[in-house]
Amino acid sequence: TRLDRLAWLAGEGLVLLGILATGSRGAFLGVGAGAAAFAVARGSWKPLALGLLVLAAGAASRDRGGFFHEYEGYLASEALAEAGAPRLNETERNRLEVWTALRADILRFPALGTGPGSRNRVFYESQWVMTLAETGILGLAVLLLVLIVLGRQSLAAGSPIGAAMLGILACVTVQGLVAETLLVTRIAGPFWLLWGAFLQVPRGLR
């Protein structure tokens, strides 16, 4: 109905305004992926177009706190290292520097990782890198299995609610590339609460 469309647009507008206020490029990526997943599940092109627009807006952001600035700093640091000079030492704010520094640990403990919390909450800025570094390939495989099962459950529902849950899953998964989405309480808390409530509903009513 028209009221449903207005409510959806209002909700999306509030989310986008919130992201614009925070300037989070990871959130742009997450919402864009979530809208695209919802569109695919529902066979609608309008949410997909919105998702692509949000992804483009996030990718176009080039302010000094953004990913492009991090990448430029990483390249400059690598060039210094190759020339035998000290790195820029941006490991407290540059995720690419952190991921490079963690490479030795990942290669040394590939199966089980270094253990949860062993890096004393280092600045990972990636759920996937964090999982691989602290729990290894086995831990990463378990996390992927859980997310795949949740995705199958949402698709099996074949309803708008199921499509919305798939969008939420895609949002958190993609944002996890550049943020610790399952560690940050304000993201992980609502995520698991929503999924717990969804899975408690009998399949025929989802």
Side-chain angles (χ1 to χ4, degrees):
T1 65
R2 180 175 296 180
L3 182 60
D4 291 333
R5 294 192 188 97
L6 288 175
W8 183 82
L9 288 174
E12 284 291 325
L14 285 174
V15 170
L16 293 178
L17 285 175
I19 295 172
L20 287 171
T22 62
S24 172
R25 282 145 297 278
F28 269 115
L29 292 173
V31 171
F38 177 83
V40 171
R42 295 300 296 165
S44 172
W45 290 101
K46 291 181 180 179
L48 179 59
L50 176 63
L52 294 176
L53 179 63
V54 174
L55 285 171
S61 178
R62 290 187 61 95
D63 63 82
R64 291 189 62 79
F67 180 78
F68 286 99
H69 175 62
E70 288 186 46
Y71 183 62
E72 290 165 1
Y74 172 73
L75 292 180
S77 183
E78 288 295 296
L80 288 173
E82 290 180 2
R87 293 177 180 271
L88 293 177
N89 193 25
E90 294 184 328
T91 53
E92 291 186 358
R93 64 183 184 278
N94 190 316
R95 57 175 59 86
L96 295 172
E97 290 278 340
V98 176
W99 297 347
T100 300
L102 290 171
R103 183 167 53 195
D105 280 353
I106 293 173
L107 294 175
R108 185 179 178 188
F109 306 102
L112 298 175
T114 58
S118 58
R119 302 289 298 190
N120 194 27
R121 293 179 69 96
V122 71
F123 181 86
Y124 287 105
E125 283 302 314
S126 171
Q127 183 63 49
W128 301 105
V129 173
M130 176 183 174
T131 302
L132 180 60
E134 294 194 352
T135 63
I137 295 173
L138 292 179
L140 183 63
V142 170
L143 177 59
L144 284 171
L145 179 61
V146 170
L147 296 177
I148 289 171
V149 169
L150 294 181
R152 289 173 62 88
Q153 290 288 329
S154 63
L155 288 173
S159 66
I161 297 297
M165 295 306 297
L166 182 65
I168 292 171
L169 181 66
C171 178
V172 171
T173 301
V174 172
Q175 189 180 0
L177 294 171
V178 293
E180 298 154 348
T181 49
L182 299 181
L183 179 66
V184 179
T185 306
R186 63 180 178 273
I187 300 175
F191 176 78
W192 293 118
L193 285 172
L194 285 171
W195 269 106
F198 177 73
L199 294 175
Q200 287 299 311
V201 178
R203 288 193 175 186
L205 300 178
R206 292 177 184 172

